[in-house]
Amino acid sequence: MRLTTRSALVPLLLATVVGLAACGADEPAPSGSGGAEDLSGTLTVLAAASLTESFEALADEFESQHEGVTVELAFDSSATLAEQVTQGAPGDVLATADERTMSVVVDAGSAAGDPQVFATNHLVLVVPQDNPAGIQEFVDIDSADVDYVVCVESAPCGALAAAVLDEQGIAAKPASEEVDVKAVLAKVTLDEADAGIVYATDAVAAGDDVMPVEIPAPEEATTAYPIAVTADAAEPDLAAAWVDLVLSAEGQQVLEAAGFGAP
C-alpha cells in the first residue's frame, strides 16, 4: 500500500467538481451522507491505482465539504488491496478495478453490504510520443523487435490484458509484468518500453507523454469498478458519505473527466 502524491491532472478534475458543487449548492446532501457538521475524523480509502487522479480530486472536495475530516488515500493493485482487507488491514472503503477482485472481499465477509459499481474503464495500448518502434496498430506488438509491458495477471489490468492478447492472437511475450497499471505507464513515459497496455484513464492522465492506440477487442478490454464500505471500517459514517460522493453527479463528472465510462 502506498500514499500518493498529487498529480498534474488533479487541479483540472478538482475544478470540475468544485464547479458542479457550486451549481448544486442549494440541493440537499445525498441520502445517507449525513450533514457536514455531523462528521469528523480520518477516512482511509483503499483504491485501485487507476483511480489515483480522480480520487485525489474527490478527496480535496470531500475535505472541503466536511470540516475536520482528513482523507487518507492508499493506491495499489486491486488484488493486493483485497488481500490486505481480508487479512484485517485498516481501511474504511475499498474500490477495485474489477468485480472479480471485489468478490474475494465479499466472500470473506470483509465488505459491509453489497458493493456498487460506480464506473467502467477499458484498456488501450500506449506508446511514447516519439514512438520509436513505429507502432500504428495493436497487432504491431506481435514482434520480437517490440518491448511491450503489461500488469501482472493477478491485477485486473493484467487479467484483462491476458484476455485481450489471447483474443487477438498475440504470440510475442511481454518484456515485463508490472505490479500495477501506473508502473506500466511509467515504463512507457520513461522510454523503458516501446508500448504498454494500460487503462484509457491512464492515457488521459499521461497527456502528451504518450500516444494511445485502440485495442480492437472492446468486450475483453472493458472492466467495471465496484466500491464498498469495509466490514471493519473505523469510520462507517464517513465511509458511507464517501461512497455517496463517488456515486453522486459531482463524483460521476470527475470520473468522466478522467476518462472513465458510466457504470
Side-chain angles (χ1 to χ4, degrees):
M1 211 185 306
R2 62 181 183 274
L3 295 179
T4 67
T5 56
R6 300 292 176 181
S7 83
L9 187 60
V10 171
L12 173 61
L13 298 180
L14 183 57
T16 299
V17 77
V18 168
L20 282 168
C23 291
D26 295 330
E27 297 178 2
S31 60
S33 65
E37 70 279 1
D38 300 327
L39 302 175
S40 63
T42 299
L43 173 69
T44 302
V45 177
L46 313 179
S50 50
L51 290 164
T52 298
E53 292 80 14
S54 51
F55 269 31
E56 285 179 343
L58 288 174
D60 287 339
E61 175 61 16
F62 193 82
E63 289 177 349
S64 74
Q65 291 179 0
H66 304 288
E67 186 177 354
V69 170
T70 299
V71 179
E72 291 189 352
L73 299 168
F75 299 100
D76 212 318
S77 162
S78 295
T80 298
L81 295 174
E83 180 181 6
Q84 291 173 345
V85 169
T86 60
Q87 292 178 352
D92 301 301
V93 178
L94 174 66
T96 63
D98 71 347
E99 294 178 286
R100 180 198 63 168
T101 306
M102 181 63 79
S103 70
V104 173
V105 177
V106 173
D107 292 346
S110 298
D114 295 330
Q116 300 182 72
V117 171
F118 65 93
T120 58
N121 210 345
H122 67 277
L123 294 181
V124 297
L125 186 72
V126 291
V127 301
Q129 270 295 345
D130 59 354
N131 194 11
I135 295 170
Q136 299 299 318
E137 53 185 345
F138 186 70
V139 72
D140 292 342
I141 67 172
D142 198 12
S143 167
D145 297 327
V146 174
D147 288 335
Y148 76 92
V149 292
V150 298
C151 298
V152 292
E153 199 164 339
S154 60
C157 55
L160 279 180
V164 167
L165 293 169
D166 181 65
E167 195 275 342
Q168 292 294 302
I170 304 299
K173 300 300 181 183
S176 69
E177 296 182 349
E178 304 300 320
V179 64
D180 61 34
V181 74
K182 292 301 184 186
V184 172
L185 185 65
K187 283 278 190 178
V188 177
T189 58
L190 294 173
D191 289 321
E192 295 176 1
D194 296 320
I197 299 178
V198 301
Y199 291 118
T201 52
D202 299 295
V204 172
D208 292 338
D209 289 339
V210 300
M211 180 177 67
V213 177
E214 288 299 319
I215 296 175
E219 184 174 342
E220 287 81 6
T222 301
T223 186
Y225 283 59
I227 190 169
V229 177
T230 65
D232 296 329
E235 298 287 350
D237 291 339
L238 281 176
W242 175 269
V243 173
D244 281 346
L245 176 61
V246 171
L247 294 170
S248 71
E250 292 87 349
Q252 290 296 298
Q253 185 62 42
V254 168
L255 290 161
E256 182 183 355
F260 287 95

